Amino acid sequence: METDELDRIYSTIAGHQAADSYFERHGIAAAPILTVTDDETADAIAEYLRPRIEGKTVVEIGGGLGLLSLHMGLIAKRVFCIEANPIWSVLFTEVLFRTKPRNVSYLFGTADEFVGSIRGDVAVICTHSDVTGMSLVAAQFAPAVIDVYGEIIRSAAPGRFDPSIVAGRDAKWG
């Protein structure tokens, strides 16, 4: 996705009364900011996860556009991508029409709506906001929860990352 297009979308969402009302009504605390916006990043993360997702059922919480789920679908047996923000599903429709495999399902709604309906071997979160909240709900879907960016930050030393991103990992929207 192009940076200019994302900037336009972010400025539209920020302070938009309907969006704020929607987030509040659905209890969405994560910031509506994408962390995986291109195939190169999605592929690199999927390969990083390969040893823990290969042949397994994966539940991605806060999947955004669904790019990471599509790439994990090339490795995992089954992938459920859960996203609560309707703006991302609308933007990604064309890609889903062209490339969505049968083993990847895109579920629109807050993750807690699907607890008890789906189960995985592994739950994945790939976010920079409301990490604690997303991790708690992810644990209800699978015995193993992977906080992708948390692992990467810890392994590479937090000082190598933008301090505002590291500090904002538990920030909530609004």
Side-chain angles (χ1 to χ4, degrees), residues 1-11 34 37-38:
M1 178 161 281
E2 298 297 320
T3 303
D4 290 344
E5 186 176 5
L6 279 177
D7 288 342
R8 182 182 55 77
I9 292 165
Y10 293 148
S11 67
L34 296 174
T37 60
D38 60 76

Side-chain angles (χ1 to χ4, degrees), residues 21-168:
S21 174
Y22 176 86
F23 297 147
E24 183 178 333
R25 188 171 64 250
H26 290 277
I28 299 170
I33 298 173
L34 296 174
T35 56
V36 180
T37 60
D38 60 76
D39 284 312
E40 184 178 321
T41 301
D43 187 58
I45 293 170
E47 285 303 320
Y48 169 80
L49 295 172
R50 179 182 286 278
R52 294 181 282 173
I53 67 170
E54 193 160 26
K56 296 183 178 177
T57 298
V58 177
V59 180
E60 182 183 10
I61 309 297
L65 294 174
L67 275 175
L68 178 56
S69 285
L70 290 176
H71 284 264
M72 288 191 298
L74 299 172
I75 300 167
K77 178 174 105 178
R78 184 86 171 93
V79 178
F80 295 101
C81 176
I82 302 173
E83 177 54 52
N85 191 334
I87 194 87
W88 307 137
S89 62
V90 170
L91 292 172
F92 202 54
T93 302
E94 182 181 333
V95 174
L96 291 174
F97 279 141
R98 280 191 326 239
T99 64
K100 183 196 154 312
R102 289 185 54 84
N103 70 324
V104 176
S105 294
Y106 195 97
L107 306 171
F108 174 62
T110 57
D112 61 345
E113 295 174 43
F114 301 104
V115 170
S117 298
I118 60 172
R119 190 88 180 129
D121 302 304
V122 178
V124 172
I125 60 170
C126 195
T127 186
H128 290 308
S129 67
D130 192 26
V131 174
T132 300
M134 292 178 102
S135 295
L136 288 171
V137 75
Q140 296 178 60
F141 288 98
V145 176
I146 302 171
D147 168 13
V148 174
Y149 287 124
E151 287 185 6
I152 292 170
I153 289 169
R154 282 189 298 277
S155 70
R160 294 183 57 196
F161 288 84
D162 180 335
S164 65
I165 289 175
V166 175

